[in-house]
């Protein structure tokens, strides 16, 4: 690959992450509300069960400086900010008691280091709005926060920060002061949000300089994604890892998108600079998270094998998102398979070998022995019928659609089943929040609110289909208007109903929920109504994925080891064609006999 073999100087920050970083992050289970006790509980589990397999980072995610934040979103009405005299956020003492007395995160960092682990935090790009409003001084400068900011580029989804304008007196000093503080806390890892999509090169460069001046080896993770691929080389030169996608949750549709994403980003990997396919939404999620309720991951076991296999052979950083003390034995087994983790840490020449429809193969080299690693995936789905088969089609609805919605009027023509289908509108994003508004059945002079009828079945991507609320838990709000009745869901989703006798029409409206309209990405959705099953026939439960050994650079008879099971399989020659379950994966080591 173009950048895969690039060497870096011994003093270069790339040496701080010679293999993909592995750790735990509080976001998927605790959102912006994690406490010190919960961080320590996860760290204790990691030290006991995962450290010996290479897991080491413990990362406190967003808004640790707010004393009264909330799950399922952020408290922006009356946030209890904690900030020092130099405009730098400090931990909320009610959540992190050891920070009392101005100690900051140093006691927590010391605790993690005592366990042989490393300490990380999340921050937002920029300077705090509250520091600007108070004109707080910048350490090491005569400037104040009010001298270095711009409202331009402020994050649309969280308004804690303003942009720091590179070149202004005090701008670099502000970032220098941040990392001086973080170094004093013993920080080893920083995830910086609202940095790489859109891409903020001037602030990235200031951050890089500030970390290098801090005197501490702090691994830099840039978020969110997709980082513009046009900026890939700049990202390589300034960060240890950068996101290739938006927030990734336990949705098969989002996981399937990673086959394209990983192949697209594969050329831009180098030691110490890792394209980041995002966190592992596995184990127990949603305890107090932004998306979804308390649950074990919605990924099936086959899908979890796919996730771990793809991340490992692509060599993505591994940041586990579930609550570690809640792990079951299966989840722990996925995180501690040393042969699989060896692929993550030592393999070279990683690349997609082929993609035939939804059958995919990746390969890599074992540099010590010349053996080949082979990952095979069966991403086949029971496909949906084309939109042309629907009884009603909204067409694409986006931010630009007048009112961000359309009227709904469907003649059911005697149908006894009804399927409400919301699909991605074509931008490839799985972020879309979709609302069915005031859906009403009429016939024989009668009127019936559809939301009063229990559905037979409902899916909603990463979320949960909800009556009279959006999928994010807020009001049903479309185009600036709030609706009392309707169904909040998420593309892609299907809601199935039995139609009561005599009902002949479905009316109402559909629209893009405001919570989806303000996201950085996505925001296009298509609504369809079917009166027959919207599914095409299902593919087989498992299929053979055929791989020519010659494609791997191997000839003659070869040995095969299944890395997930640890079993030696029968020798093969010419072709290897394992059966792979639908949504599943296999990972092998193949060597000349």
């Amino acid at each position: 690959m173009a950048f895969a073999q690039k060497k870096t100087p011994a003093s270069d920050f790339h040496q701080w992450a010679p293999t993909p970083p592995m750790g735990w992050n509080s976001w998927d289970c605790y959102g912006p509300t994690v406490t010190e006790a919960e961080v320590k509980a996860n760290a204790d589990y990691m030290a006991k069960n995962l450290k010996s397999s290479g897991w080491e980072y413990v990362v406190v995610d967003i808004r640790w400086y707010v004393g009264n934040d909330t799950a399922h979103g952020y408290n922006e009405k009356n946030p209890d900010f904690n900030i020092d005299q130099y405009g730098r956020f400090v931990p909320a003492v009610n959540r992190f008691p050891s920070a009392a007395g101005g100690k900051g995160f140093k006691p927590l960092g010391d605790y993690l280091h005592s366990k042989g682990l490393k300490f990380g935090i999340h921050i937002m790009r920029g300077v705090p709005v509250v520091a600007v409003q108070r004109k707080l001084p910048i350490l090491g400068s005569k400037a104040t926060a009010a001298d270095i900011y711009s409202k331009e580029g402020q994050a649309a989804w969280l308004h804690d920060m303003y942009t720091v304008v590179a070149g202004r007196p005090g701008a670099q000093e502000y970032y220098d002061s941040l990392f001086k503080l973080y170094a004093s806390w013993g920080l080893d890892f920083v995830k910086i949000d609202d940095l790489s999509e859109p891409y903020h090169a001037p602030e990235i460069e200031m951050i890089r300089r500030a970390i290098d001046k801090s005197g501490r080896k702090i691994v830099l993770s840039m978020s969110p994604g997709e980082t513009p691929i046009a900026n890939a080389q700049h990202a390589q030169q300034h960060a240890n890892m950068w996101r290739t996608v938006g927030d990734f949750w336990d949705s098969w549709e989002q996981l399937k998108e990673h086959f394209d994403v990983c192949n697209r980003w594969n050329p831009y990997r180098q030691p110490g600079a890792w394209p980041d396919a995002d966190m592992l939404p596995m184990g127990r999620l949603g305890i107090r998270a932004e998306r979804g309720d308390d649950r074990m991951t919605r990924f099936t076991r086959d899908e979890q094998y796919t996730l771990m296999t793809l991340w490992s052979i692509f060599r993505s950083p591994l940041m586990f998102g579930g609550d570690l003390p809640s792990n079951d034995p299966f989840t722990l087994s996925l995180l501690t398979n040393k042969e699989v983790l060896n692929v993550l840490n030592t393999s070279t020449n990683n690349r997609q070998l082929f993609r035939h429809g939804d059958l995919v193969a990746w390969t890599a080299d074992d540099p010590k022995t010349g053996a080949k690693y082979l990952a095979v995936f069966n991403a086949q789905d029971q496909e949906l019928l084309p939109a042309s088969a629907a009884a009603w089609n909204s067409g694409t609805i986006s931010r630009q659609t007048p009112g961000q919605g359309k009227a709904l009027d469907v003649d059911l023509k005697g149908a006894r089943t009804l399927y409400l289908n919301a699909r991605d509108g074509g931008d490839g994003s799985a972020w879309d929040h979709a609302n069915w508004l005031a859906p009403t059945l009429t016939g024989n002079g009668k009127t019936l609110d559809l939301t009063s009828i229990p559905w037979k079945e409902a899916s909603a991507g990463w979320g949960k289909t909800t009556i009279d609320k959006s999928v994010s838990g807020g009001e049903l709000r479309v185009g600036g208007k709030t609706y009392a009745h309707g169904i909040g869901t998420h593309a892609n989703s299907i809601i199935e109903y039995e139609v009561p006798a005599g009902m002949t029409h479905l009316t109402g409206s559909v629209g893009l929920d405001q919570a989806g309209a303000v996201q950085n990405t996505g925001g296009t959705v298509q609504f369809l109504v079917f009166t027959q099953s919207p599914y095409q026939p299902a593919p087989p439960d498992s299929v053979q994925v055929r791989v020519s050994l010659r494609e791997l650079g191997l000839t003659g008879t070869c040995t095969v080891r299944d890395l997930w099971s640890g079993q030696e399989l029968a020798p093969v020659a010419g072709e290897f064609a394992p059966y792979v379950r639908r949504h599943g994966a296999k990972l092998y080591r193949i060597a000349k006999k």
Side-chain angles (χ1 to χ4, degrees), residues 293-371:
D293 298 317
D294 192 346
R295 64 193 185 278
M296 292 301 285
T297 182
R298 292 192 181 98
F299 284 134
T300 66
R301 288 195 171 192
D302 286 317
E303 289 164 355
Q304 291 179 68
Y305 278 122
T306 290
L307 171 56
M308 287 298 295
T309 301
L310 182 59
W311 266 237
S312 295
I313 202 156
F314 173 64
R315 304 195 72 195
S316 172
L318 301 183
M319 288 288 164
F320 187 80
D323 179 61
L324 288 173
S326 304
N327 273 355
D328 56 17
F330 174 72
T331 304
L332 180 60
S333 74
L334 293 176
L335 304 182
T336 55
N337 184 307
K338 292 188 176 179
E339 291 187 273
V340 174
L341 293 176
N342 191 53
V343 177
L344 173 83
N345 288 314
T346 68
S347 61
T348 59
N349 198 25
N350 308 65
R351 65 198 186 281
Q352 180 177 289
L353 187 66
F354 62 72
R355 180 167 188 172
H356 302 321
D358 285 336
L359 302 182
V360 186
W362 275 66
T363 187
D365 297 341
D366 178 352
K368 291 185 178 179
T369 66

Side-chain angles (χ1 to χ4, degrees), residues 39-62:
V39 173
K40 286 184 173 180
N42 278 272
D44 292 347
Y45 180 98
M46 182 181 290
K48 180 180 178 181
N49 299 288
L50 298 176
K51 183 184 167 213
S52 61
S53 297
W55 299 83
E56 58 181 350
Y57 291 99
V58 175
V59 183
V60 179
D61 209 273
I62 197 165

Side-chain angles (χ1 to χ4, degrees), residues 26-264:
S26 61
W27 171 248
D28 284 356
C29 45
Y30 296 109
T33 70
V34 71
T35 65
E36 183 167 7
E38 289 161 341
V39 173
K40 286 184 173 180
N42 278 272
D44 292 347
Y45 180 98
M46 182 181 290
K48 180 180 178 181
N49 299 288
L50 298 176
K51 183 184 167 213
S52 61
S53 297
W55 299 83
E56 58 181 350
Y57 291 99
V58 175
V59 183
V60 179
D61 209 273
I62 197 165
R63 279 192 135 200
W64 39 264
Y65 47 81
V66 176
N68 60 346
D69 220 331
T70 54
H72 300 291
Y74 305 102
N75 177 7
E76 294 198 75
K77 294 180 180 177
N78 62 336
D80 175 21
F81 289 125
N82 291 264
I83 196 165
D84 74 3
Q85 70 270 34
Y86 295 113
R88 303 173 298 187
F89 283 131
V90 294
V93 173
N94 63 319
R95 290 171 53 197
F96 299 92
S98 71
K103 297 185 181 72
F105 269 137
K106 188 175 191 309
L108 180 56
D110 289 346
Y111 180 86
L112 298 177
H113 294 149
S114 75
K115 298 274 182 178
L117 304 175
K118 294 183 178 180
F119 174 43
I121 61 173
H122 169 292
I123 67 171
M124 293 289 291
R125 169 189 66 87
V127 60
V129 170
V130 65
V132 171
Q133 292 170 341
R134 298 177 189 175
K135 297 184 178 180
L136 295 179
I138 294 168
L139 183 65
S141 170
K142 295 179 181 179
T144 73
D147 299 319
I148 66 170
Y149 87 101
S150 170
K151 294 183 180 180
E152 187 175 344
Q154 185 184 40
W157 50 275
L158 183 62
H159 302 91
D160 290 356
M161 316 296 281
Y162 286 139
T163 295
V164 174
V165 182
R168 286 193 184 172
Q172 183 64 55
E173 288 83 356
Y174 169 71
Y175 274 118
D176 290 350
S177 75
L178 273 190
F179 284 94
K180 181 177 181 180
L181 177 65
Y182 299 159
S184 76
W185 291 345
L187 195 69
D188 304 295
F189 182 101
V190 64
K191 172 185 173 183
I192 305 187
D193 213 331
D194 191 41
L195 189 63
S196 57
E197 195 277 319
Y199 199 79
H200 294 274
E203 283 186 88
I204 290 168
E205 292 171 11
M206 285 190 285
I207 290 164
R208 176 76 268 146
R209 286 192 290 270
I211 293 174
D212 291 343
K213 289 179 185 178
S214 74
R216 188 164 181 86
K217 297 176 179 179
I218 300 173
V219 168
L220 172 57
S221 168
M222 301 199 306
S223 186
E226 180 176 352
T227 302
I229 208 153
N231 298 108
Q233 292 189 40
H234 188 272
Q236 282 183 319
Q237 293 161 7
H238 293 85
N240 296 106
M241 47 192 277
W242 59 90
R243 287 269 291 278
T244 61
V245 291
D247 281 6
F248 170 55
W249 288 93
D250 46 338
S251 153
W252 167 251
E253 289 84 2
Q254 286 188 303
L255 176 53
K256 188 171 180 177
E257 289 170 5
H258 277 78
F259 289 106
D260 284 336
V261 170
C262 293
N263 191 42
R264 180 161 64 245

